[in-house]
Amino acid sequence: MEKYMTPSKDEIVMAFVASCIESVADKLNVSYREVFERMDKVGMIDSYLYPCYEQLHTESRENLTSSLIETLSRWEKSN
């Protein structure tokens, strides 16, 4: 019988954040790194994606991606 490791909550949330960044990058047709840097610059990763995981992960990927693009744009304009 094979044994599988169960990921921790932090690992699950980090994977979710990474998938959000990747989805936004794909939709905008830019690199993952560019989206990460833009989100990091405005504090979106630490102030929005991590703390709001419970609410955000219930959204469809399409709706979430569109919402994240809109949020990123608003945050960038307000900085």
Side-chain angles (χ1 to χ4, degrees):
M1 179 179 214
E2 292 184 45
K3 292 185 179 182
Y4 296 97
M5 294 177 55
T6 302
S8 70
K9 174 75 181 260
D10 286 341
E11 290 170 324
I12 292 169
V13 175
M14 287 189 320
F16 170 77
V17 169
S19 72
C20 287
I21 294 168
E22 189 172 316
S23 292
V24 169
D26 286 346
K27 182 80 172 183
L28 296 178
N29 199 30
V30 298
S31 72
Y32 175 97
R33 185 67 160 161
E34 180 181 330
V35 173
F36 171 81
E37 288 172 357
R38 288 173 61 190
M39 287 183 172
D40 189 50
K41 184 177 180 180
V42 296
M44 193 169 158
I45 296 168
D46 293 330
S47 299
Y48 185 60
L49 293 177
Y50 280 114
C52 296
Y53 165 77
E54 293 296 333
Q55 296 83 10
L56 295 173
H57 89 281
T58 62
E59 292 290 322
S60 72
R61 179 58 57 181
E62 184 178 308
N63 288 342
L64 179 59
T65 301
S66 294
S67 174
L68 292 175
I69 292 169
E70 182 181 322
T71 301
L72 178 59
S73 178
R74 278 188 279 125
W75 286 31
E76 287 177 323
K77 287 177 184 173
S78 68
N79 275 349

